[in-house]
Amino acid sequence: MSATVARPSQVLAAVSLQCASCGRPHDPAPAHVCPSCLGPLEPVYDPDRTLPDRSEIAARPRSLWRYREWLPFTGRPVRCLNAGWTPLIEAPRLADALGVSRCVVKHDAGSFPSLSFKDRVVASALNAAYAFGLPVVGCASTGNLANAVAAAAAREGVEAWIFIPHDLEPAKVAASAIFNPRLVRVRGTYDDVNRLCAQVADRFGWGIVNVNLRAYYGEGSKTAAFEIAEQLGWRLPDAVVAPMAGGSLVTKLSKGFGEFLDAGLVDGVTPRLYGAQAEGCAPIVRLVERGDDTLVPVKPATIAKSLAIGNPADGRSAASVIRSSGGWAAAVSDAEIVEGIRLLAETTGIFGETAAGVTVAVAKSLAQSGHLTADDEVVLCITGNGLKTTDAIVDSLNVPEPIAPRLSEVASLIQQNPS
Amino acid sequence: MPVLSLPSVLTPLTGGQHTIPATGATVSEALDDVVSRFPALSPRLRDENGAPYPFVTIYLNDEDIRFIGGFDAPVQPGDELSVVPAVAGG
C-alpha cells in the first residue's frame, strides 16, 4: 500500500505581492497594506509561467478555475471548486428597449452558491485563507458578500465571522444566517462596518476576505471578464456596463480583458467600460464626471444597499480605467432603479436585485445620451439576485385581489383587461 | 487628552505602541504632537504637502474627518483618532 503524496507543484500556494502605489515587493501574506506607504498590495504573476491556449481552457471543468493561471496561486485550488461559469444570456428584447445592436446579460444573479458575483471573489479569498493556514474567515458586507462567505465557509467547514450593517434587507440577513456563521449586526453604515473590520483583521489575525485578503480576493472578479470573452466565442464586446460599489469590479474587468488580450486569446481592444451607481451614492460617477483625481466621499442614501459604499477604496482606479477605455459613468434615481429591475425582468426573464436595476437603468440612460449607440454589442453585468431585495420593488408591482375559483370570474377578468 | 490609534503595520515606527496619547485642539495639532515624538510616522499619515493620502482614512471617533472639517476638525479630551487603510467593497 502506498500513500498518495501531493507533488510540490500541486500544493496550493499564494503568489507574492507588490505595492500598487510605491512598487515595493512583499512576500505572500494575508496583508493588504504596504508597510512603506500604506498603499494597496496587488498580486504579482510570474511572467514566464506557462499559459493555456483556447482549446486547453475549453477542455477544463466549467468553473472559474479554468482560468487558474490568471488567479493568484500556484498549485491546485482546494476550495470553492464549483464557483463561476455563469451563463451569458442573449437579451434581444432588452436590446430593442435600449436601442443597441445586441445585448447580452452576464447572469451572476444565478451564481453558485449564493446568487451573486461575490462567489467569484470568495472562491479566490478562501483558497488564500487555506494557503496561509488561517482558521477563521470573515468579511464586512453590504449583504451579497456576507451570503457568499457564509455559504462557502459552511461548505468548506471553516469558521466565519460576518459583519453587516444593522439595516440590511431581511432576505440578505436570512441568506447569511441560514449557513449559521457568527453573524454580527453593527449599528452603522457599511463604511462604519468596513472600518471596524479593518481593525478586527489587524488585531485578531483572521482572514477578513475584503480586508487583509483583499489582494487575493479581488482577482476573482477578473473571471467575469474571462468568461464573457470565452462565451462570446473568444472575442470582446464593444461595451460593458457594470455596477460600482467599492469600484473593484470595473477595475478587475479591465484587468481581465487586458490579460486575455496580452495572452493572445482575444483580439482587438478593451471594451468601453461604463460604471453604474445610484444617485444617492455616486462618488465614482462624480469623479469620472469631474475628471480629477480626488474622490470625495459621500453619505449613502439609496435603495441600492449593495452599492451603498460612500468611501469606495477602488474608486480612483475605477474612474481611471473607465476613462482610459473610452467609457463613461452615470447615476440613476431610486425610481429609475425600480424601473430598471422591471425592464430587465419583463424583457429577459431575469430577476435582478437593486444593483441590477442600477445597471439596466444606467444602460438606458447611456443609450439615450448617445454613449451607447445602435451599432454597439453591449454586455450588462447583472451581479445579484432579485429575491434578495424584494422589499425594494414589491410596492411597484401589480398584485391583484384574489378571485373565487370560478370560471365566470376568470371570464370577467378577461373582459376587464382583454389581451 | 485624545489618543491616536494606529494599525499594526505602523507600530514598528512607534516602538510597538498601537495607541498614543496626543495633545492639541485639532486633528492636525494632535498629529503634529505625535509625529514630534515619532518622526518616522509623519510621511505615513500625510503626503509631502501635508495632504491626506487617498488610500488612508482618518476617523475621529466614528466619523471620517473629511465630513467634519478634515485636519482642522476640533478634538476633545477622550476622543479617539484612528488611522485605517482603505479596504475593498463588499
Side-chain angles (χ1 to χ4, degrees):
Chain A
M1 186 174 143
S2 63
T4 302
V5 178
R7 288 177 295 169
S9 63
Q10 292 183 316
V11 175
L12 182 76
V15 301
S16 298
L17 301 170
Q18 183 176 34
C19 177
S21 182
C22 74
R24 179 175 158 172
H26 297 264
D27 290 336
H32 71 301
V33 176
C34 173
S36 294
C37 73
L38 300 190
L41 298 178
E42 295 276 354
V44 179
Y45 293 87
D46 177 1
D48 297 325
R49 70 195 189 285
T50 302
L51 297 178
D53 60 16
R54 291 178 181 180
S55 60
E56 186 176 348
I57 293 171
R60 290 176 174 176
R62 292 186 166 183
S63 81
L64 55 77
W65 297 108
R66 68 207 266 118
Y67 313 110
R68 60 178 177 268
E69 286 82 358
W70 292 273
L71 291 170
F73 307 99
T74 55
R76 296 275 175 177
V78 297
R79 289 175 172 165
C80 307
L81 300 182
N82 302 107
W85 197 257
T86 60
L88 193 67
I89 306 279
E90 197 74 42
R93 296 188 63 231
L94 183 55
D96 288 345
L98 297 176
V100 298
S101 167
R102 185 187 184 199
C103 180
V104 290
V105 170
K106 187 55 178 161
H107 185 27
D108 275 5
S111 170
F112 176 81
S114 72
L115 306 179
S116 91
F117 88 110
K118 293 296 186 184
D119 292 327
R120 299 181 183 278
V121 284
V122 168
S124 189
L126 258 66
N127 279 281
Y130 178 91
F132 294 125
L134 301 174
V136 179
V137 297
C139 65
S141 177
T142 57
N144 281 324
L145 181 58
N147 300 166
V149 171
R155 185 171 169 80
E156 303 296 343
V158 181
E159 182 178 349
W161 283 70
I162 308 292
F163 295 80
I164 56 175
H166 69 287
D167 62 347
L168 279 189
E169 298 94 337
K172 281 185 176 162
V173 177
S176 292
I178 187 64
F179 301 110
N180 200 24
R182 296 293 297 266
L183 190 61
V184 183
R185 296 173 66 219
V186 179
R187 282 187 297 276
T189 66
Y190 173 73
D191 294 301
D192 296 323
V193 179
N194 229 343
R195 174 173 55 88
L196 175 63
C197 277
Q199 294 169 326
V200 165
D202 191 50
R203 298 300 165 90
F204 300 126
W206 298 344
I208 305 294
V209 300
N210 53 332
V211 181
N212 55 339
L213 296 178
R214 171 189 176 190
Y216 301 99
Y217 156 98
E219 293 290 278
S221 289
K222 294 189 306 187
T223 60
F226 300 152
E227 290 177 17
I228 289 168
E230 183 177 353
Q231 290 167 326
L232 282 175
W234 298 105
R235 60 180 187 79
L236 301 179
D238 297 311
V240 177
V241 187
M244 300 190 293
S248 174
L249 175 58
V250 167
T251 309
K252 296 296 184 179
L253 286 172
S254 173
K255 186 176 182 183
F257 290 129
E259 288 178 342
F260 262 26
L261 284 164
D262 290 344
L265 289 166
V266 291
D267 297 320
V269 295
T270 299
R272 304 192 320 269
L273 297 171
Y274 294 92
Q277 292 196 296
E279 279 178 359
C281 184
I284 309 176
V285 172
R286 304 302 170 227
L287 184 56
V288 171
E289 290 172 343
R290 285 196 311 274
D292 61 32
D293 199 34
T294 303
L295 187 132
V296 179
V298 302
K299 299 281 189 185
T302 171
I303 60 169
K305 291 179 182 168
S306 62
L307 304 183
I309 298 180
N311 184 24
D314 294 301
R316 292 167 70 244
S317 303
S320 174
V321 300
I322 286 170
R323 284 195 215 108
S324 63
S325 76
W328 192 242
V332 288
S333 68
D334 283 357
E336 290 172 301
I337 293 169
V338 172
E339 288 173 20
I341 295 170
R342 297 190 61 170
L343 178 61
L344 177 69
E346 292 170 15
T347 57
T348 69
I350 294 168
F351 184 16
E353 64 150 359
T354 45
V358 172
T359 301
V360 173
V362 162
K364 187 176 175 186
S365 166
L366 290 166
Q368 288 168 345
S369 61
H371 287 95
L372 298 177
T373 73
D375 296 330
D376 278 335
E377 178 186 65
V378 181
V379 175
L380 302 186
C381 292
I382 300 303
T383 53
N385 196 291
L387 292 172
K388 299 186 185 189
T389 59
T390 53
D391 50 323
I393 46 90
V394 70
D395 291 342
S396 77
L397 301 178
N398 178 24
V399 179
E401 291 300 313
I403 63 167
R406 292 191 204 106
L407 191 59
S408 61
E409 298 236 0
V410 178
S412 174
L413 289 176
I414 293 169
Q415 260 190 338
Q416 288 167 25
N417 293 295
S419 50
Chain B
M1 62 179 54
V3 296
L4 178 65
S5 176
L6 297 170
S8 296
V9 70
L10 293 180
T11 56
L13 307 175
T14 61
Q17 296 181 69
H18 275 99
T19 55
I20 300 167
T23 59
T26 65
V27 172
S28 190
E29 289 176 11
L31 295 182
D32 288 344
D33 174 57
V34 172
V35 301
S36 72
R37 284 172 280 146
F38 303 100
L41 259 186
S42 184
R44 303 288 184 275
L45 303 179
R46 291 171 285 196
D47 69 17
E48 63 270 21
N49 300 314
Y53 288 110
F55 39 77
V56 178
T57 305
I58 298 175
Y59 293 88
L60 176 57
N61 299 320
D62 292 333
E63 194 65 271
D64 183 336
I65 64 168
R66 289 174 291 185
F67 289 113
I68 53 175
F71 288 125
D72 294 329
V75 295
Q76 310 289 333
D79 281 348
E80 182 180 26
L81 281 166
S82 308
V83 177
V84 180
V87 306

